[in-house]
Amino acid sequence: MTQIVAVASQKGGVGKTTTAVNLAYGLSLAGHRTALVDLDPQANATSGVGGTAASRAPIELLSENADAWSQILQPTRFEGLWLVASRVNHDYSPVAAQLDPVRIAELRDSLLGHNPAMDYAILDCPPAAGPIPLLALQLADSVLIPVQCEYYAMEGLSQMLPSIEKVRAARTRPLNLQGILLTMFDPALELALEVSQEVRAYFPNETLPGAVPRDVALAESSSYGTPVFEYDPRSRGSWSYLQLTKDLLNGR
């Protein structure tokens, strides 16, 4: 059965889309059919795998036809990786806000029943609170929260956790915390070390053991529309997302 993971943070600039793109690609490299679902109107996940922005937002199509996954889930140039492209700069949160629990269940069932079946679906959410991230959390089995190793990191995390609890209280299926992922970590910066230590102290079981470093290869790979594994497989960023992929597959 498809495992649906939402990559979400209410704070922007934390490496959320970079994480979604490279985790999805890492899972496909491990031999798992994986769908990268771009729910962010910035469409950065779409361009991050060399995709073309959609003419209509996926939520709009799915609101009209729950089986639209079969129309919008397209193979990428990377074997084993599919993409649901986003529409650029289009606010479709009003459509997401109108979806009731029955309709959301239909969307989930349709994704789970897609042929060919996906092993994983990685949902890239916009960096804000609102209907689209809440919809992603309602669809998901688990949520992965990137936390930047800089000031206000704990504040962004504290804003995200109540959203998770809100969704948990409104549904019968469990919503697991896949983990808290430290990003943009630079051991040479005292602030980064302090933030890392503080997050691990407050959330010792939830914080993943690895951290994504500051690495120019991550930014460069995004500009080339390719995952960092393809752009520079020996980079520190590539190794960090390889570890993240292993953690997810091992149930960490």
Side-chain angles (χ1 to χ4, degrees):
M1 179 178 289
T2 308
Q3 293 295 307
I4 305 176
V5 182
V7 182
S9 172
Q10 293 188 8
K11 188 175 183 299
V14 300
K16 174 186 58 60
T17 297
T18 298
T19 296
V21 166
N22 288 291
L23 175 59
Y25 183 65
L27 291 167
S28 71
L29 279 181
H32 298 281
R33 293 179 177 271
T34 305
L36 175 62
V37 182
D38 191 351
L39 297 176
D40 189 341
Q42 297 179 82
N44 289 331
T46 297
S47 61
V49 291
T52 302
S55 58
R56 291 194 66 191
I59 297 304
E60 292 178 335
L61 290 168
L62 290 166
S63 68
E64 298 169 4
N65 177 12
D67 293 325
W69 294 109
S70 60
Q71 303 172 28
I72 61 179
L73 194 56
Q74 302 295 331
T76 68
R77 60 190 175 92
F78 305 109
E79 184 177 357
L81 181 62
W82 278 257
L83 171 70
V84 173
S86 181
R87 180 180 176 185
V88 179
N89 297 329
H90 179 70
D91 182 15
Y92 46 91
S93 56
V95 177
Q98 294 174 4
L99 296 175
D100 60 33
V102 173
R103 192 59 168 168
I104 292 171
E106 291 174 350
L107 299 186
R108 177 180 163 84
D109 290 343
S110 179
L111 176 58
L112 296 180
H114 183 270
N115 187 19
M118 297 291 121
D119 298 314
Y120 289 93
I122 308 299
L123 313 183
D124 183 39
C125 304
I132 300 174
L134 284 176
L135 171 61
L137 293 178
Q138 289 167 329
L139 291 171
D141 298 301
S142 62
V143 56
L144 176 66
I145 308 175
V147 175
Q148 184 182 12
C149 291
E150 291 188 0
Y151 195 56
Y152 293 135
M154 291 293 288
E155 181 179 339
L157 182 57
S158 66
Q159 293 170 348
M160 190 69 222
L161 294 176
S163 296
I164 295 174
E165 291 304 322
K166 179 180 179 180
V167 172
R168 281 174 170 166
R171 71 183 207 180
T172 56
R173 290 185 300 105
L175 175 61
N176 299 318
L177 180 56
Q178 189 70 48
I180 297 168
L181 176 67
L182 297 171
T183 62
M184 302 183 188
F185 178 70
D186 185 347
L189 296 178
E190 184 176 351
L191 177 60
L193 292 172
E194 290 176 354
V195 170
S196 173
Q197 292 168 359
E198 188 172 2
V199 172
R200 293 189 187 280
Y202 274 93
F203 304 99
N205 299 321
E206 295 85 356
T207 306
L208 295 171
V212 178
R214 283 195 175 276
D215 186 357
V216 68
L218 292 170
E220 290 177 347
S221 64
S222 298
S223 68
Y224 280 92
T226 189
V228 71
F229 294 94
E230 286 281 325
Y231 179 76
D232 188 351
R234 296 185 179 182
S235 66
R236 292 179 299 135
S238 181
W239 282 103
S240 68
Y241 280 114
L242 176 63
Q243 184 60 54
L244 174 62
T245 303
K246 289 181 177 179
D247 287 341
L248 188 147
L249 292 174
N250 291 333
R252 174 61 180 88

